Amino acid sequence: MYVEWKRLQRAGLQQLQETYTRSYRDSRLLRFYSSDVVPGMLQTPGYAAAILSRFADRASSPDDLERAVAQRMRSAEPMYEGNHRIVCLVEESVLRHRIAEPAVMADQLARLLSIKALPRVSLGIIPFTTQRTIWPVESFHVVDDHLVEVELVTTRVRVISPPEVGEYLETFGELQEFAVYGREAGALIASAIDALG
């Protein structure tokens, strides 16, 4: 299902964020892979505002940035309640992209350090230096084993065809093999914080 952002944003950014919150709340297993930004569920308010403000500036939707950020913060609830499992993979470049001012970036990176200790969450980081057989791909997330969502510049693509979902799950599994976790992941995050100066 190929849905243009302009159509999705007409009702406002908050309503668009609610679609993610509902999907996450109704899931048992969420898998996130990101090659560009910190996944929405893991974002701080400042980081989320920096990202969503770009869409607010370009969209013809109502000016509801604050409500959209608050809704995005609610999407993190599965990390703390219910019977959810969240597996996140991010490329090391995600830690280094200066999406917002240094103080906001430092806060976001500190949040990743705290999130990696949550019992429901597995946070893996794929280091720059890893020898790999698969390159960074488009960011995507998988809801349980039946839905993949991919965000492109102009659209959100929802993949529900079992063979295609299976390919994303296979790709996710391959990418997991290159990730580091625990202390090694923490060291990469700490290094990115230090690089902010």
Side-chain angles (χ1 to χ4, degrees):
M1 292 182 285
Y2 181 94
V3 185
E4 290 185 17
W5 283 120
K6 285 182 181 176
R7 195 175 118 211
L8 288 169
Q9 292 170 351
R10 275 190 208 120
L13 292 174
Q14 178 189 5
Q15 190 167 345
L16 177 58
Q17 292 306 306
E18 283 177 14
T19 65
Y20 292 110
T21 303
R22 280 193 302 273
S23 177
Y24 298 167
R25 186 182 57 236
D26 295 341
S27 72
R28 297 281 307 241
L29 174 61
L30 292 165
R31 297 176 185 95
F32 295 90
Y33 165 75
S34 185
S35 57
D36 47 18
V37 299
V38 173
M41 179 181 275
L42 309 184
Q43 293 175 4
T44 61
Y47 189 92
I51 289 184
L52 292 173
S53 65
R54 178 178 187 269
F55 295 102
D57 291 344
R58 295 176 70 180
S60 57
S61 62
D63 185 15
D64 61 348
L65 178 60
E66 286 182 22
R67 291 190 304 277
V69 168
Q71 186 64 47
R72 180 163 281 188
M73 295 307 99
R74 285 190 286 279
S75 76
E77 290 171 1
M79 291 194 299
Y80 305 99
E81 58 189 45
N83 189 20
H84 305 276
R85 177 92 177 104
I86 295 114
V87 182
C88 297
L89 293 176
V90 298
E91 298 285 345
E92 184 179 354
S93 57
V94 169
L95 310 177
R96 305 284 181 161
H97 291 314
R98 300 282 179 107
I99 301 299
E101 61 189 47
V104 171
M105 290 301 302
D107 188 41
Q108 177 60 69
L109 294 170
R111 177 164 166 75
L112 291 180
L113 283 173
S114 66
I115 284 172
K116 74 180 192 61
L118 294 174
R120 290 184 174 94
V121 179
S122 171
L123 175 61
I125 299 172
I126 303 173
F128 287 133
T129 55
T130 297
Q131 180 69 42
R132 49 199 296 170
T133 55
I134 183 172
W135 53 91
V137 298
E138 68 275 9
S139 294
F140 64 90
H141 68 268
V142 185
V143 179
D144 295 318
D145 290 333
H146 64 271
L147 170 67
V148 176
E149 292 192 312
V150 183
E151 294 182 358
L152 305 176
V153 172
T154 59
T155 63
R156 175 170 74 183
V157 178
R158 301 186 82 189
V159 179
I160 57 173
S161 162
E164 289 186 60
V165 170
E167 285 192 42
Y168 275 97
L169 289 170
E170 185 177 328
T171 298
F172 191 89
E174 289 179 61
L175 290 164
Q176 272 186 300
E177 294 178 21
F178 307 121
V180 295
Y181 301 85
R183 276 195 194 133
E184 288 180 87
L188 291 174
I189 297 169
S191 173
I193 293 171
D194 290 344
L196 292 170

